[in-house]
Amino acid sequence: MQAWIGRPELVLPLLHGDISNAACALLMVAPDMRSQICAQLVADASQAAAHVRRTGRLHPRYGNGSLMAAARARGVADEPGFDDPDYCGCVIEVLKAVMRYRETEGCHVKDSPDYKGLAES
């Protein structure tokens, strides 16, 4: 089963590249700011997704609504390997932020009015 990010009016797949790019964006900020910045990245992606859905155009700053686009808008470090504990911590932070978002503001695929169309594509 895929994980998804988005509000009920728009649901996007959350892919490996989204997680790795967000983690690399977190590498660019001080460790004590990572949780806050990560939550903002998820919110930025959601805002962009809603903009795309509403206008049919990319968000001027955060792109297509993916977490990857929101992360890349902030700038990303080169991706290290999983032997880098700092990077691993950033990956964990991203996963936690996505889970928090889904619990508080997001939706699950089966709850989305777009689910049927996504499942068939």
Side-chain angles (χ1 to χ4, degrees):
M1 176 183 220
Q2 285 186 311
W4 300 81
I5 186 171
R7 295 185 185 278
E9 67 269 10
L10 183 65
V11 179
L12 294 176
L14 182 65
L15 305 174
H16 172 268
D18 295 296
I19 302 299
S20 61
N21 274 268
C24 288
L26 294 183
L27 287 173
M28 304 284 288
V29 300
D32 64 330
M33 294 296 297
R34 289 179 179 162
S35 180
Q36 179 183 348
I37 296 297
C38 194
Q40 187 61 52
L41 281 173
V42 173
D44 293 345
S46 178
Q47 177 186 356
H51 175 84
V52 170
R53 177 69 177 240
R54 190 174 56 256
T55 67
R57 296 174 188 250
L58 297 177
H59 187 278
R61 177 160 183 174
Y62 305 120
N64 66 1
S66 68
L67 189 55
M68 180 189 294
R72 296 188 75 72
R74 287 187 178 268
V76 296
D78 290 339
E79 185 175 7
F82 284 108
D83 57 339
D84 182 322
D86 203 28
Y87 177 65
C88 290
C90 290
V91 169
I92 291 167
E93 188 61 49
V94 172
L95 293 171
K96 286 180 180 179
V98 167
M99 291 172 65
R100 278 190 304 268
Y101 176 84
R102 288 181 65 197
E103 290 170 1
T104 61
E105 297 183 46
C107 68
H108 298 280
V109 162
K110 67 182 182 178
D111 300 327
S112 169
D114 293 332
Y115 172 67
K116 184 174 180 172
L118 288 169
E120 294 171 354
S121 54

